[in-house]
Amino acid sequence: RLIGMSGLTDKGRIEQEEQKAKLIDQVLELQTTLDELSTRVDSVKGENEKLKSENGILTQYIENLMPAQTKPKPGRGGASAKR
């Protein structure tokens, strides 16, 4: 067996290089996953803002309708109507 300057055999260096290559592949895969998740988070944030805006518009619309429906209409029965 040949021993290099670092004290590792050729077999040890090969195993170390293989482990290093596996780790690099894992890091690259995790970076890709992180980029995809980040993009998804941005998309969901935008969708959430849009829905909040729509919810505000609908809330305002409903609030504007409520007083019109709760106002008593003249001559339509009620406690003060004469029979």
Side-chain angles (χ1 to χ4, degrees):
R1 290 183 181 178
L2 298 174
I3 298 180
M5 296 173 80
S6 65
L8 294 175
T9 63
D10 287 338
K11 183 178 178 182
R13 271 186 271 152
I14 291 170
E15 287 175 2
Q16 190 177 39
E17 289 298 320
E18 287 173 354
Q19 287 178 343
K20 185 178 177 181
K22 285 180 185 178
L23 288 174
I24 290 171
D25 287 344
Q26 287 177 343
V27 167
L28 293 174
E29 185 177 333
L30 289 171
Q31 283 178 333
T32 300
T33 302
L34 181 60
D35 286 342
E36 290 170 354
L37 288 172
S38 180
T39 300
R40 178 70 179 133
V41 165
D42 290 341
S43 172
V44 169
K45 281 182 181 180
E47 188 175 331
N48 186 37
E49 288 300 317
K50 179 183 171 190
L51 291 173
K52 278 184 183 180
S53 175
E54 289 176 4
N55 190 35
I57 291 168
L58 289 173
T59 299
Q60 216 172 21
Y61 177 74
I62 290 169
E63 287 173 355
N64 289 338
L65 287 177
M66 294 304 285
Q69 290 180 352
T70 58
K71 290 180 186 174
K73 296 182 180 177
R76 303 279 300 188
S80 63
K82 295 182 183 177
R83 293 183 183 182

